[in-house]
Amino acid sequence: MINFEFLLSFLAASFLIAVAPGPSNAFLMAQTFANGRAAGLQSAFGFALGGVAHTLFAVVGLTAILKASEVAYTSVQYAGAAYLCYLGVMMVKSTFIQSECSSEDKPHVSTKKKTNVIFQAMMTEVLNPKVALFFIAFIPQFVDPTLSSSTTFQLAFFGLLYPLFAFPIDCTYIYFGDKIAGYFREHPQSQIWIDRITGVVFVVLAVNLLI
């Protein structure tokens, strides 16, 4: 069983957190602007998978290691920042290759490799220690120790509920982001600049992860 009042409080708090602009939403919008609605949806799904992974980590106590060990926290933090920075640099680099092809009046052929956006988003979420600490600090507040159901069950329930609850909110961001991006995609050079801005956003997110 789950405490109904705690459940309503959790949903209200989760809504505010999911709606508030943040690194995850910036990543979603960047992918949507650069690669379309499908990439945005894949990113949202990847973040949901990342949330499931963090739930499992929290339940088995692995995130407690990040909270207790400064070395472990810093290692994961730098790994996540390096991964985001790599994505951003590679995206910006690909736009210059596209520009060279266009300047030579060759038929436009996208030089960007087909990447697994779901995996990128999931790894971005998993390698963010701030998200891990969010799960270990936020979710336990809604666990009722007086209930017959175990603490482990309640942690798993709320942990898995959050990504399910946040997914449709992410989809709303993606829908309106794709509408705005549609205007820019109609112009020949817009995609290159969208990709460059997206790459810069990824690098900024990497810096934000270290702050």
Side-chain angles (χ1 to χ4, degrees):
M1 296 291 293
I2 297 295
N3 186 308
F4 185 69
E5 293 183 1
F6 283 15
L7 176 60
L8 291 180
S9 299
F10 174 81
L11 293 177
S14 296
F15 176 79
L16 294 176
I17 293 170
V19 169
S24 297
N25 291 331
F27 186 98
L28 287 174
M29 297 298 285
Q31 283 286 5
T32 302
F33 268 66
N35 301 311
R37 188 184 303 179
L41 291 173
Q42 290 175 36
S43 297
F45 187 67
F47 281 127
L49 291 178
V52 172
H54 277 296
T55 298
L56 296 176
F57 294 158
V59 169
V60 300
L62 292 180
T63 48
I65 298 176
L66 292 177
K67 187 175 182 180
S69 173
E70 183 178 350
V71 174
Y73 181 92
T74 303
S75 298
V76 175
Q77 189 176 37
Y78 276 94
Y83 184 70
L84 275 173
C85 189
Y86 168 79
L87 293 179
V89 170
M90 293 305 294
M91 181 164 283
V92 172
K93 180 181 177 181
S94 70
T95 64
F96 287 101
I97 298 176
Q98 292 179 51
S99 297
E100 291 175 4
C101 291
S102 299
S103 63
E104 295 173 5
D105 296 326
K106 294 180 180 179
H108 176 70
V109 178
S110 177
T111 57
K112 290 191 295 184
K113 297 180 180 179
K114 292 184 178 180
T115 55
N116 191 329
V117 178
I118 295 177
F119 178 78
Q120 288 182 358
M122 182 181 70
M123 291 305 297
T124 299
E125 190 82 341
V126 169
L127 292 175
N128 188 345
K130 294 180 181 179
V131 177
L133 294 181
F134 162 78
F135 272 83
I136 203 172
F138 174 72
I139 293 177
Q141 298 180 45
F142 303 94
V143 172
D144 188 348
T146 65
L147 295 179
S148 58
S149 55
S150 67
T151 299
T152 300
F153 171 79
Q154 293 182 66
L155 283 172
F157 176 83
F158 285 116
L160 295 175
L161 180 61
Y162 179 78
L164 291 175
F165 184 74
F167 184 79
I169 297 175
D170 289 342
C171 290
T172 303
Y173 268 95
I174 293 163
Y175 175 79
F176 288 104
D178 186 61
K179 290 293 185 182
I180 297 172
Y183 168 79
F184 294 100
R185 295 196 195 103
E186 294 176 357
H187 298 79
Q189 295 298 318
S190 64
Q191 187 63 49
I192 291 177
W193 285 104
I194 288 176
D195 288 350
R196 288 176 181 173
I197 293 173
T198 301
V200 172
V201 168
F202 284 177
V203 174
V204 171
L205 289 177
V207 174
N208 179 73
L209 189 59
L210 298 177
I211 297 177

